[in-house]
């Protein structure tokens, strides 16, 4: 338990840190300690935003998410962890905290579960546009407009004037607003 | 459901058109609409009008004359940009494009140049709330504002201003669903009346077109009513099929199926032709208030266009189905 505390405080060397991180992966008790210490730390610093069971519930949720849990999104964090572990212990601790933070912050679990494994979750999903973008016809449709005009009741009301549409637009590119 | 009463009233109106209506009576608006259509065919006038949409503004000169025999002659000439002239002689419309030395001829026979028919006015009342709304002044003439508010999102709104004595439309605007103007035609100068003058409606270019390219947009022989075999699946409230024919289109070697739908005021044309060799990708474009959507359907290219919202034009393009073998047999 003091080892966990030491890990948090960055007092372990690289090998020890690696050991403790490995322990954290398998030992639920150690993990509970890690959580509690962090909660205490947060509370002391006045940053306590989560309930005491938050960690437990979070891990329970994560437990239910099988391998999908490891989508690409986490690769950078994982890499960071590996790097940190091979370096100074303090850095390892920071990376781990970062890793935990990553669990908390970005993606709602439901979304992780829904995402197919090979798809990078971080790609922003833009909703498809309701209508395709309309471009000025630039005179390419004049023949059709000309053929259409003769059937339009607007021609009945306004006479020849609407035919301007079918001879128009040839030079509109130069008259842009 | 509630269309029975207006239809009945309209029946009365058609039977007794001269009856003066109380202000804000929708029949009053429809009467103005009818009056506008009649005035623009019947009257002699010359003037200058400005066509404006959200990208451009263009000034043209227009002259319309009716001879003693009732023949109609009209000439439109652009004053800005490249020279372009449109000449109408009764039911034939000819377009002269000196820049590209091209003539496009469209002959409408035996069909007449479009007229506003009573049954179309019924359609207008079903699809738009029509009302008169105060007066305005355009090109020095007092005019009556007539507003057509669409009853759904399938069509645009319209606002006309008709000269109070003759009914000649002096201004026409199309409005989008936020009532923002999409397109407008407005006279800036106008003279109503005057004696028939052949010179004012004669083409300036017709005599010089010996080596010009002639595109016949629709010859009388080519424009034959036909069952093209294409059908619109699904419901498009207010729009009725006006005509269905096989025709030629300027610049197209093959005959093209042309189906026209209208709600009495706005029209949407469907053109169906064999898929060209170049790849066709769905594309939406516009020219003023006219929206155009092209897409491949089976081994055909479908082009739908009209003075209706893009969604309406696309809906029509996406609801077309080939049903009949008659078209392939006739091809």
């Amino acid at each position: 338990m003091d080892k966990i505390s030491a890990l948090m405080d960055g007092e372990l060397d690289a090998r020890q840190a690696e050991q403790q991180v490995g322990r954290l992966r398998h030992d639920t008790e150690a993990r509970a300690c890690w959580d509690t210490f962090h909660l205490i730390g947060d509370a002391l610093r006045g940053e306590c935003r989560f309930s005491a069971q938050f960690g437990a519930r979070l891990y329970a949720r994560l437990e239910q998410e099988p391998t999908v849990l490891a989508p690409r999104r986490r690769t950078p964090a994982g890499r960071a962890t590996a790097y940190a572990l091979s370096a100074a212990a303090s850095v390892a601790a920071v990376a781990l905290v970062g890793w935990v933070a990553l669990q908390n912050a970005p993606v709602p679990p439901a979304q992780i579960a829904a995402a197919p494994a090979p798809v990078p979750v971080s790609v922003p999903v833009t909703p498809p546009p309701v209508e395709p973008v309309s471009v000025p016809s630039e005179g390419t449709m004049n023949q059709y407009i000309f053929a259409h005009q003769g059937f339009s009741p607007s021609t009945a009301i306004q006479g020849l004037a609407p035919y301007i549409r079918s001879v128009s637009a040839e030079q509109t590119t130069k008259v842009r607003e | 459901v509630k269309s029975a009463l207006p239809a009945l009233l309209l029946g009365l109106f058609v039977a007794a058109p001269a009856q003066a209506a109380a202000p804000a009576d929708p029949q009053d608006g429809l009467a103005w609409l009818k009056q506008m259509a009649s005035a623009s065919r019947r009257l002699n006038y010359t003037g200058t009008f400005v066509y404006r949409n959200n990208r451009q503004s263009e000034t043209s000169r227009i002259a319309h004359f009716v001879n003693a025999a009732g023949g109609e002659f009209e000439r439109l000439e652009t004053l800005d940009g490249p020279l372009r002239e449109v000449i109408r002689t009764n039911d034939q419309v000819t377009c002269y494009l000196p820049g590209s030395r091209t003539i496009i001829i469209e002959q409408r026979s035996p069909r007449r140049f479009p007229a506003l028919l009573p049954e179309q006015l019924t359609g207008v009342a079903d699809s738009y709330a029509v009302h008169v709304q105060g007066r305005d002044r355009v090109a020095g003439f007092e005019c009556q504002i007539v507003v057509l508010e669409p009853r759904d999102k399938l069509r645009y709104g319209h606002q006309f201003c008709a000269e109070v004595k003759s009914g000649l439309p002096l201004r026409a605007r199309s409005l989008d669903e936020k009532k923002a103007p999409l397109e407008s035609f407005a006279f800036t100068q106008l003279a109503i009346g005057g004696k028939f003058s052949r010179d004012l409606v004669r083409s300036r270019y017709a005599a010089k077109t010996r080596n010009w390219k002639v595109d016949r947009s629709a010859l009388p022989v080519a424009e034959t009513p036909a069952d093209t075999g294409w059908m619109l699946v699904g419901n498009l409230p207010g729009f009725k099929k006006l005509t269905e024919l096989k025709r030629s289109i300027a610049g197209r070697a093959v005959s093209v199926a042309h189906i026209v739908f209208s709600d009495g005021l706005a029209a949407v044309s469907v053109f169906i032709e064999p898929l060209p060799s170049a790849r066709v990708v769905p594309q939406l474009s516009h020219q003023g208030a006219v929206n155009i959507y092209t897409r491949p359907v089976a081994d055909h290219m479908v082009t739908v266009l009209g003075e209706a919202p893009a969604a309406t034009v696309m809906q029509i393009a996406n609801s077309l189905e080939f049903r009949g073998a008659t078209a392939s047999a006739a091809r």
Side-chain angles (χ1 to χ4, degrees):
Chain A
M1 203 170 294
D2 349 328
K3 288 279 173 67
I4 299 284
S5 173
L7 175 67
M8 278 176 65
D9 294 341
E11 285 162 7
L12 297 183
D13 63 30
R15 245 194 73 202
Q16 285 175 313
E18 197 168 4
Q19 251 176 23
Q20 291 309 313
V21 169
R23 209 182 121 208
L24 277 175
R25 286 213 178 104
H26 309 293
D27 186 340
T28 40
E29 204 184 336
R31 223 148 55 200
C33 270
W34 168 268
D35 289 346
T36 311
F37 288 162
H38 269 286
L39 196 65
I40 292 166
D42 286 346
L44 285 174
R45 289 187 297 273
E47 291 168 1
C48 191
R49 286 173 296 161
F50 306 115
S51 69
Q53 272 80 49
F54 179 82
R57 280 189 278 118
L58 177 68
Y59 279 112
R61 297 274 289 272
L62 289 176
E63 214 78 285
Q64 290 164 6
E65 319 229 11
T67 23
V68 190
L69 206 176
R72 302 278 141 137
R73 161 173 263 294
R74 236 153 261 127
T75 322
R79 216 183 287 131
T81 312
Y83 169 77
L85 288 174
S86 65
S90 56
V91 182
V94 168
L96 255 176
V97 170
W99 187 80
V100 172
L102 234 151
Q103 305 299 315
N104 294 346
V107 189
Q111 203 173 322
I112 297 175
V119 176
V121 186
S122 58
V123 169
V125 181
T126 39
V130 181
E131 262 176 28
V133 178
S134 182
V135 297
S137 68
E138 308 285 13
T140 54
M141 293 292 170
N142 281 359
Q143 262 94 4
Y144 290 105
I145 300 176
F146 190 70
H148 162 78
Q149 206 67 63
F151 292 91
S152 175
S154 69
T155 306
I157 296 170
Q158 294 171 253
L160 213 51
Y163 273 85
I164 187 75
R165 290 179 187 133
S166 57
V167 294
S168 206
E170 285 191 273
Q171 85 291 20
T172 47
T173 35
K174 287 174 245 159
V175 200
R176 253 180 243 275
E177 276 182 308
Chain B
V1 185
K2 55 180 180 179
S3 66
L5 186 61
L8 188 68
L9 286 171
L10 193 78
L12 289 172
F13 158 71
V14 171
Q19 216 165 41
D25 186 336
Q27 297 311 326
D28 203 17
L30 288 178
W32 275 106
L33 218 55
K34 214 177 160 207
Q35 181 67 21
M36 282 188 264
S38 151
S40 54
R41 326 184 60 137
R42 196 168 38 77
L43 294 178
N44 290 348
Y45 60 87
T46 55
T48 305
F49 76 91
V50 174
Y51 166 72
R52 191 173 284 138
N53 62 37
N54 49 20
R55 300 185 75 239
Q56 67 185 128
S57 160
E58 205 164 14
T59 309
S60 304
R61 190 178 289 143
I62 198 161
H64 179 268
F65 285 96
V66 180
N67 69 10
E72 267 191 277
F73 303 87
E74 197 165 358
R75 176 173 181 269
L76 180 154
E77 175 195 35
T78 60
L79 299 181
D80 304 330
L83 285 163
R84 284 147 295 156
E85 184 187 57
V86 185
I87 300 284
R88 173 189 164 199
T89 307
N90 291 316
D91 300 331
Q92 179 174 301
V93 178
T94 308
C95 178
Y96 295 91
L97 306 169
S100 54
R101 297 166 69 84
T102 304
I103 308 172
I104 304 172
I105 302 170
E106 164 130 342
Q107 186 145 21
R108 317 218 36 80
S109 179
R111 217 164 278 98
R112 293 270 301 153
F113 201 68
L116 210 58
L117 305 167
E119 60 263 31
Q120 281 179 308
L121 284 174
T122 318
V124 169
D126 285 346
S127 299
Y128 303 85
V130 188
H131 44 263
V132 294
Q133 199 183 70
R135 301 243 164 132
D136 201 352
R137 229 164 63 90
V138 173
F141 290 88
E142 196 185 7
C143 60
Q144 175 64 54
I145 298 172
V146 181
V147 177
L148 289 98
E149 255 178 83
R151 295 193 195 273
D152 56 32
K153 286 183 171 179
L154 289 171
R155 53 213 109 232
Y156 286 138
H158 297 271
Q159 196 220 66
F160 296 96
C161 206
E163 201 268 314
V164 288
K165 291 195 191 98
S166 65
L168 189 71
L170 305 183
R171 188 178 65 206
R173 285 177 180 156
S174 309
L175 312 164
D176 68 10
E177 58 184 67
K178 292 176 197 124
K179 297 191 179 175
L182 284 161
E183 189 180 70
S184 74
F185 299 85
F187 276 108
T188 54
Q189 177 272 319
L190 177 69
I192 301 176
K195 277 179 70 180
F196 175 77
S197 159
R198 190 72 181 88
D199 278 349
L200 286 174
V201 286
R202 181 176 285 138
S203 170
R204 303 274 158 89
Y205 305 101
K208 310 168 195 164
T209 57
R210 206 141 47 94
N211 296 317
W212 289 26
K213 185 177 147 224
V214 180
D215 271 337
R216 291 189 188 273
S217 186
L219 290 170
V221 283
E223 194 187 297
T224 45
D227 179 5
T228 60
W230 288 83
M231 283 188 69
L232 202 58
V233 284
N235 192 20
L236 200 70
F239 283 93
K240 291 186 185 112
K241 188 165 85 178
L242 269 192
T243 188
E244 180 171 1
L245 43 92
K246 290 222 149 207
R247 59 174 299 161
S248 59
I249 297 270
R252 298 281 183 280
V254 292
S255 88
V256 175
H258 185 185
I259 310 170
V260 185
F261 299 93
S262 175
D263 64 5
L265 193 68
V268 177
S269 278
V270 176
F271 298 98
I272 303 154
E273 60 200 289
L275 211 54
S277 47
R279 204 164 81 91
V280 176
V281 288
Q283 197 193 23
L284 183 66
S285 59
H286 61 271
Q287 164 62 29
V290 174
N291 282 296
I292 306 145
Y293 186 59
T294 300
R295 72 180 284 249
V297 178
D299 51 349
H300 290 83
M301 181 172 83
V302 169
T303 304
V304 181
L305 66 91
E307 51 278 21
T312 304
V313 164
M314 289 175 68
Q315 190 186 328
I316 292 176
N318 293 332
S319 320
L320 283 169
E321 252 181 33
F322 186 69
R323 286 273 172 88
T326 33
S328 42
R331 207 174 286 152

